[in-house]
């Protein structure tokens, strides 16, 4: 049986990254985001068909997230070299083009396992998206079948609801009163 994550400290991680411009390798750990909100999302594999729609949509919306003091980190089980190649491949050739956030490599699959989204028999992650608050508490998770992409608008709405500090009814939107 899966253990719940929401309302608990987010599982720690340390991974290699490639910058959103596809030029630099680096590393990232959960503690790097202390004091900021983090949208941490997993996608199955590089060079696939649904994944770039999500990744590029989040990149386009990155300024909206930054305005909410929120960083974005994408991750898959591919290597940083695969990530770099995908970023540096033209969009019209199934590439990503430049992004406004880094991509991390969970090549050991440990982070996907820790977040409860590893499909062990396939060696890939489900589409898991997590919102982690500035103190490192996991506040939200949504996990989709790999055939279905997620919604940037819903992610922004939930983030804003969490940041509002109040009770938010179904379909709450910024500007609505809290319960």
């Amino acid at each position: 049986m899966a253990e719940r994550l929401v309302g608990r400290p987010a599982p720690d991680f340390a991974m290699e990254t490639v910058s959103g411009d596809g030029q630099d390798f680096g590393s990232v750990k959960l503690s790097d985001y202390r004091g900021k909100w983090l949208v941490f999302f997993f996608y199955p594999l590089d060079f696939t068909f649904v994944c770039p729609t999500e990744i590029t949509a989040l990149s386009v919306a990155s300024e909206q997230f930054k305005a909410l003091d929120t960083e974005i980190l994408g991750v898959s089980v591919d290597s940083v070299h695969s990530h770099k190649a995908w970023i540096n491949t033209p969009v019209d050739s199934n590439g990503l083009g430049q992004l406004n956030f880094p991509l991390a490599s969970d090549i050991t699959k440990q982070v996907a396992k820790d977040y409860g989204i590893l499909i062990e028999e396939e060696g890939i992650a489900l589409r898991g998206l997590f919102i982690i608050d500035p103190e490192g508490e996991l506040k939200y998770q949504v996990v989709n079948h790999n055939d279905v992409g997620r919604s940037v608008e819903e992610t922004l709405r939930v983030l804003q609801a969490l940041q509002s500090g109040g009770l938010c009814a179904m379909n709450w939107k910024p500007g609505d009163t809290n319960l």
Side-chain angles (χ1 to χ4, degrees), residues 111-129:
V111 181
K113 188 174 187 175
D114 291 346
Y115 279 77
I117 59 166
L118 180 64
I119 305 172
E120 294 199 35
E121 59 275 14
E122 296 180 38
I124 61 173
L126 288 165
R127 291 184 193 286
L129 184 142

Side-chain angles (χ1 to χ4, degrees), residues 25 51 61 83 96 119 136 140 147 151 156 165 173:
F25 294 115
C51 299
H83 292 342
L96 288 176
I119 305 172
Y140 175 79
D147 291 348
S151 167
L156 279 164
K173 294 182 189 99

Side-chain angles (χ1 to χ4, degrees), residues 18-25 84 87-88 97-102:
V18 65
S19 59
D21 64 5
Q23 300 305 307
D24 300 314
F25 294 115
K84 180 177 180 172
I87 291 168
N88 289 315
Q98 293 198 353
L99 302 173
N100 294 315
F101 53 82

Side-chain angles (χ1 to χ4, degrees), residues 23-37:
Q23 300 305 307
D24 300 314
F25 294 115
S27 62
V28 67
K29 53 190 179 304
L30 180 60
S31 62
D32 294 340
Y33 297 99
R34 201 67 155 174
K36 289 192 171 269
W37 290 82

Side-chain angles (χ1 to χ4, degrees), residues 4-10 131 133 136-141 162:
R4 81 170 169 88
L5 297 175
V6 172
R8 295 190 171 154
I131 297 177
D133 79 4
E137 182 180 330
L138 201 148
K139 293 290 198 177
Y140 175 79
Q141 77 177 44
L162 290 167

